[in-house]
Amino acid sequence: MFFYLFGAALLAFSVSLDAFAAAFAYGCNKIKIPLLSTAIISLICTATIGLSFVFGTALSQFIPPWVATGLSFSILLVIGITKLLDSITKTVIRKHANINKEIKLSLFNFKLILRLYADPETADVDESKSISGKEAAVLAISLSLDGFAVGFGAAFLGFNVLAVILFTLVASGLALWLGCILGNKAAKNLRFNISWVAGVILIGLAFMQLF
């Protein structure tokens, strides 16, 4: 039981690191994330990983255990390596998904979602120094791109779905809150990349199921 709870907590921590980094960038630029926007981001991120986890769990009932293990291992390993190479991945997206700050905000603008994935701090499209509910929803979708694949891959590890959902909800909310606080205390031009931490955790979870 402890192993599965610990694994679920690690999973939630790994998928919340992007939210922490985004909130840190906002804090550095004095951009606020109101409580409502924080709740929207946390709920969408949690719902995404929860739905993908449930879908993966249901699918696992119809495929052989060795196929499930191989699929889970492959997904977590690929996402983990992508996280380790995060700076390269986001540089490519920045180059090919350039947008104008005056673009109309739309939940269905995939180019904007990719741009936010590469540069989350650009979510404040109207430059109001505050993330609105609509901006928070689009940002949450961009932050959930990895989470959907991670949730699906982790479903084959046997973690409790309620534990994953609860840990993710709490971790994402705390990540946003703590990121903003620390960002406000840091220099405006300070940037850092912690995606490699999530990469290490996901790769570790991938190999855990082989033993």
Side-chain angles (χ1 to χ4, degrees), residues 96-150:
H96 296 285
N98 240 346
I99 64 168
N100 190 295
K101 289 287 285 185
E102 296 170 359
I103 191 171
K104 183 179 180 181
L105 192 63
S106 169
L107 283 175
F108 303 100
N109 192 318
F110 191 64
K111 179 181 282 190
L112 176 58
I113 291 173
L114 282 180
R115 178 61 176 173
L116 291 178
Y117 176 80
D119 285 308
E121 59 267 33
T122 61
D124 186 25
V125 177
D126 58 10
E127 299 183 344
S128 62
K129 291 297 182 180
S130 180
I131 302 299
S132 68
K134 186 179 290 186
E135 290 170 338
V138 180
L139 174 62
I141 294 173
S142 72
L143 292 175
S144 300
L145 291 178
D146 290 335
F148 184 85
V150 170

Side-chain angles (χ1 to χ4, degrees), residues 7-60:
L10 274 181
L11 182 68
F13 176 75
S14 69
V15 298
S16 299
L17 286 176
D18 281 343
F20 174 82
F24 185 89
Y26 297 145
C28 287
N29 289 284
K30 306 303 179 184
I31 298 175
K32 297 179 180 179
I33 307 180
L35 183 59
L36 177 60
S37 296
T38 298
I40 290 174
I41 295 172
S42 296
L43 287 173
I44 290 178
C45 290
T46 301
T48 300
I49 193 171
L51 287 174
S52 65
F53 196 92
V54 170
F55 177 69
T57 301
L59 183 63
S60 68

